[in-house]
Amino acid sequence: MIIVPGPASRELGKRIARQLDARTVDVFVKRFPDGEYYIRFETKDIQSEEVVIVQTTAPPQHDSLIQLFLMVDAVEDFGAKSVTAVIPYFAYARQDKRFLNGEVFSVKTVVKLLEKCGVNRIVTVNAHNPKVLETFNIPVEDLSAIPLLAQYFKKEGLVKDAFSLSMGKKALTMASEADNVLKGGFDYVPTRRDRITGKVTLEKKKLPVENRDVIIFDDIISSGGTMAKAVKMVKEQGAKKVYAACVHPLLAGNAEKKILENGAEAIVGTDCVPSKVSVVSVAPIIAEVLRRGE
Ligand code: R5P
């Protein structure tokens, strides 16, 4: 097996390769004056190999996506036996249906393009809607980084008997996965999303958080609005230390400031999206699934 750490996930790609003791092939990337990308594999010697390209598609997502399409298509040309795309953060996954008449169905388009470029299998982490990904032709494995995040809090001793919270009923699994590690109880806060503006509102809910440490888990922190509101809600209900944990810290604009200003001790994220809060690595769970070859 050969691991290609893509330009958007060089560190994570190398971590996965180390876990697997696999050979890596680097890619050289440059931009032409007009902004287009030029990519060269350091070797074309990958004929009949199982090739794994690791490339997250977090912002700047269009750069990462075009780089991914260029790489997977080339690897197929070079005669790879199979091409697995490890896409830790899957861009456009939130537009997972036509919510309003006339809308595009973005996640379908991205998967279709990957398939056309020769991808045989996709591995991703906490995809926004794994059920939708599973309806396409390419096999998709969606892994959860929530247990790794929960273990981090336990290992670092940041919280005591922490209550695990997630947002939206569909995300209750996240709080439950965290609770398997932290064992301090779990629940969710009901959410409502405005179909036109996309604005998320949290419904008021009484939670057993008074004088308790709380960790709020979400798949994505983008503008930080949802997380900031949740932090505020539990703080108003008397929570002690509150941490914001997420798999994909996109942290757009002043997201971090917003969350901290509302009372969070810190934000903890994973290297699905490289950032200054990405202290937890998903390399072990990705390496495990690649090792099993499922
Ligand atoms: C929503 O469905 C997701 O799980 C996140 O809660 C959302 O993407 C966070 O977005 P923002 O940080 O912009 O509120």
Side-chain angles (χ1 to χ4, degrees), residues 88-105:
Y89 173 72
F90 204 101
Y92 284 98
R94 281 180 285 182
Q95 185 69 24
D96 53 13
K97 65 176 176 185
R98 295 196 161 90
F99 298 96
L100 300 173
N101 282 339
E103 281 184 350
V104 294
F105 184 1

Side-chain angles (χ1 to χ4, degrees), residues 1 19-21 121 284 286-294:
M1 182 186 294
Q19 298 251 337
L20 291 166
D21 208 8
R121 178 167 74 137
I286 293 176
E288 191 191 331
V289 83
L290 294 174
R291 194 179 290 120
R292 284 203 311 258
E294 282 167 4

